[in-house]
Amino acid sequence: MAEFTELSRSKSHGGSVVKYRHNSDVLGCAMQFSAFLPPAPGPRPVLFWLSGLTCTEDNFIQKAGALKKAAELGLLLVCPDTSPRGLGIEGEDESWDFGTGAGFYLDATAEKWKRYRMFSYITKELPELVRTHFPVDPARASISGHSMGGLGSLVCALRNPGMFRSISAFAPISNPIQCPWGVKAFTGYLGDNKAAWKDWDPSELAAKYEGPPISILVDQGSEDSFLHQKQLLPEALETAVAGNDRLNLQLRIQDGYDHSYFFIQTFIDGHLEFHARALST
């Protein structure tokens, strides 16, 4: 990882919002991520945030209203992009829910898409960058996300037992092997072997999870159009966790809320407090 460049810096709530670019060995391209560095001295606990379809490293930092509470709690926030960009793969920019901006936080096995390795980027390369360049306590990390990023937060944690202290998600794609978004993405990135798809499905992973006990907080809006379109399927995750005493899921259906960042803004403080408790020691 040769290049690591600060692109911008703005003071906020006593800390700093900073954007960085680096050359990714895992993805074979330049990647950007945003971070909030709280005013409290290090080493700090870190919360990784994974955004949803079409998003970039900017969405959460700019729209979630999380910075004031993160500053109060002393949480360092790290917000990566949602896919590699500019790889020159035919078709990478043709669809909003596949290719650019839609990496699905997996490691693709289909030959054409093998540079789409967001899972390895999020769980290996990015944490190493954070440990190298920021005053963090590597033993105190948690993960959260929205929609496709909620899927990613669950998959990254459940496939790496002990790496994260807690998991939370807003409207996660909970059972992608059974929803249109997931079937499209998994067919493209992973091919037709549906047995292999289960390795990237939060509900399938939750059912067989054998790692250290971990708590999961999920908020889902009752008026989320994607919920009604059967893209999210939180009931599948609830059923899977019910059979596994190593996972403690709190699934909250929030009446009247949709899939937007207005929903996230309303409940983000509670998610940050949830993670701060898990990261407190």
Side-chain angles (χ1 to χ4, degrees):
M1 291 179 287
E3 179 203 5
F4 187 81
T5 303
E6 181 178 311
L7 300 177
S8 63
R9 179 179 292 256
S10 299
K11 188 170 183 179
S12 180
H13 297 286
S16 297
V17 175
V18 193
K19 184 185 289 192
Y20 301 92
R21 178 188 292 128
H22 70 99
N23 290 327
S24 169
D25 296 332
V26 168
L27 302 175
C29 65
M31 289 293 287
Q32 295 184 175
F33 69 93
S34 293
F36 175 67
L37 313 180
R44 304 309 311 159
V46 59
L47 176 65
F48 292 88
W49 170 271
L50 308 184
S51 288
L53 290 164
T54 74
C55 291
T56 71
E57 69 279 359
D58 291 327
N59 291 71
F60 180 79
I61 284 286
Q62 295 181 1
K63 297 171 67 176
L67 303 186
K68 181 178 181 180
K69 180 59 69 172
E72 292 173 0
L73 297 171
L75 290 176
L76 195 152
L77 306 179
V78 175
C79 307
D81 202 351
T82 51
S83 77
R85 294 181 185 266
L87 297 185
I89 300 172
E90 181 184 2
E92 67 183 348
D93 296 321
E94 290 181 359
S95 177
W96 68 274
D97 57 358
F98 184 82
T100 300
F104 271 80
Y105 302 103
L106 49 71
D107 283 354
T109 55
E111 188 64 33
K112 180 178 178 180
W113 298 98
K114 277 189 174 180
R115 289 173 68 185
Y116 270 62
R117 302 181 62 218
M118 288 300 292
F119 174 76
S120 289
Y121 176 73
I122 296 297
T123 60
K124 296 176 182 177
E125 188 171 29
L126 185 61
E128 181 182 345
L129 275 171
V130 170
R131 289 191 295 269
T132 299
H133 293 280
F134 303 115
V136 298
D137 180 348
R140 292 194 291 159
S142 290
I143 192 164
S144 184
H146 174 224
S147 195
M148 178 186 72
L151 178 159
S153 68
L154 289 158
V155 167
C156 288
L158 295 175
R159 286 183 56 129
N160 289 278
M163 183 174 183
F164 300 104
R165 295 274 191 94
S166 52
I167 313 165
S168 79
F170 290 85
I173 303 171
S174 295
N175 195 196
I177 66 174
Q178 298 294 342
C179 79
W181 278 341
V183 170
K184 177 179 179 177
F186 287 9
T187 300
Y189 292 134
L190 303 172
D192 295 326
N193 180 4
K194 294 185 178 181
W197 294 7
K198 295 181 179 181
D199 291 339
W200 306 101
D201 186 298
S203 295
E204 295 287 337
L205 293 171
K208 63 183 183 181
Y209 177 80
E210 296 181 347
I214 190 167
S215 293
I216 306 169
L217 173 62
V218 172
D219 275 321
Q220 172 63 61
S222 69
E223 299 308 308
D224 187 328
S225 61
F226 300 121
L227 175 69
H228 302 305
Q229 293 168 22
K230 305 297 183 183
Q231 295 281 20
L232 306 177
L233 304 174
E235 64 276 8
L237 180 64
E238 187 173 39
T239 298
V241 170
N244 191 334
D245 60 8
R246 294 176 182 268
L247 299 174
N248 175 25
L249 171 66
Q250 184 181 10
L251 172 60
R252 308 188 301 194
I253 305 300
Q254 303 292 2
D255 186 48
Y257 287 89
D258 59 18
H259 200 74
S260 72
Y261 264 86
F262 298 114
F263 167 49
I264 295 173
Q265 289 171 13
T266 305
F267 299 103
I268 189 62
D269 283 4
H271 281 242
L272 297 180
E273 290 166 350
F274 165 79
H275 291 298
R277 289 191 294 271
L279 295 165
S280 62
T281 57

